[in-house]
Amino acid sequence: MHLLGIETSCDETAAAVVKDARTVLSNVVYSQIPLHQAYGGVVPEIASRSHLEKIDGIIEQALQDAHVTYDQLDGIAVTYGPGLASSLIVGLSAAKGLAMRLKKPLIGINHLEAHIHSVFLKPDAPDPHEACPMLALVVSGGHTCWIDIPKPGEYHIMGQTLDDAAGEAFDKAAKLLGLGYPGGPVVDKAAKEAKTLASIAFPKGRPRAGNPALGAMEAEMCVSFSGLKTALMYHLKDHPATPEDIPEIASSYQEAIVSALVDRCAFALSKKNYKALAVGGGVSLNRRLRERLTELAAQHNTRLLLAEPKHCGDNAAMIAGLAGMGFGVTGDAAFLLDVVPSLEIGKTK
Ligand code: KG4
Ligand code: ZN
């Protein structure tokens, strides 16, 4: 089965063709990073206009790279949430139009669930059914959450960030340190040059007890990163940084985020026997996070599943892949879908 995937939830215009849920025949990603760099973050109007300009060419390229014709497609899968409304609408409209014209099925996909599926696009990954029960961590620029997955397609949110996402915390630090945008890769790179791991004590990302945002979630499974960037701001006020100080600051800050993420995974792994720990999203590219997760998985005798670097950030292969598993909104309901900017994991609206 050949599915075309379309993804425009944020600042990447992406299209891909995936065969049988896991074999990626093409994966085209046009990153708008240079367009947003001057502003230090994604500007929704610029993102949406750029998606509109690029989407047709990117879809065409994905089919060409895959050596698949429109006729050979068995359906079109598209992200309808979560993300920026004005960006999502471009991909969803393009997918609806194409599916109607070609008279092919349309499948609406939840972007966060697709980030989890990205680990199964790696050729040596186990079958998703064999990897369950699985603990998943989605860490990106907009999301940080832990999910218990007893079987493919069933999601129970165990915890999440109560304020900033991990990627956002990296991006804000890079801005404060004058390192540019996006922040994750530059903080990661600067931290590599540090002589010590954590010479500066930054807050550990623990939510305050009794925080109403916890709801029914356990505090041990949630994080709060907004205090971290404030601590960095005060640190820089008290100790104006010279270029030589940057690696130590970057490493200490990174260690605080990574420790918070790894500690929550450790807590979940100590509560239940998970066959696998799957980690997806842009922040899963972080070198130190990968190191710490590898150690943790070995301690718990759990298989660590990480996506290939090209499938960690936003891409459309994960969208077509998850649809290929038989998940997502299908049939007439798909053609009636509207974008859902705050769509949660495990929900359809
Ligand atoms: O998944 P993604 O491409 O887009 C969203 O859905 O948000 O994630 C982007 C985020 C950005 O915040 C970026 O700074 C972060 O992933 N990121 C990293 C690294 N590479 C990208 N964070 C930490 N270390 C990295 N090496
Ligand atoms: Zn994403």
Side-chain angles (χ1 to χ4, degrees), residues 111 115 140-142 167-168 170-171 182-185 188 281-283 285-286 312-314:
H111 177 88
H115 265 306
S140 68
E168 207 175 336
F170 274 109
D171 294 338
D188 193 347
V283 181
L285 282 167
N286 187 269
C312 285
D314 289 345

Side-chain angles (χ1 to χ4, degrees), residues 127-213:
D127 180 272
H129 294 91
E130 281 164 22
C132 291
M134 177 169 87
L135 171 67
L137 164 61
V138 176
V139 259
S140 68
H143 296 90
T144 300
C145 54
W146 286 264
I147 311 105
D148 171 38
I149 306 179
K151 61 176 204 279
E154 193 179 325
Y155 307 94
H156 302 286
I157 297 180
M158 304 170 78
Q160 61 189 32
T161 177
L162 302 184
D163 38 61
D164 294 352
E168 207 175 336
F170 274 109
D171 294 338
K172 285 177 176 168
K175 212 171 186 177
L176 287 170
L177 294 169
L179 295 176
Y181 173 84
V186 279
V187 171
D188 193 347
K189 192 162 166 239
K192 242 186 253 175
E193 310 301 323
K195 293 191 183 69
T196 58
L197 267 180
S199 54
I200 305 157
F202 282 115
K204 297 279 177 267
R206 286 200 190 94
R208 263 184 290 157
N211 187 325

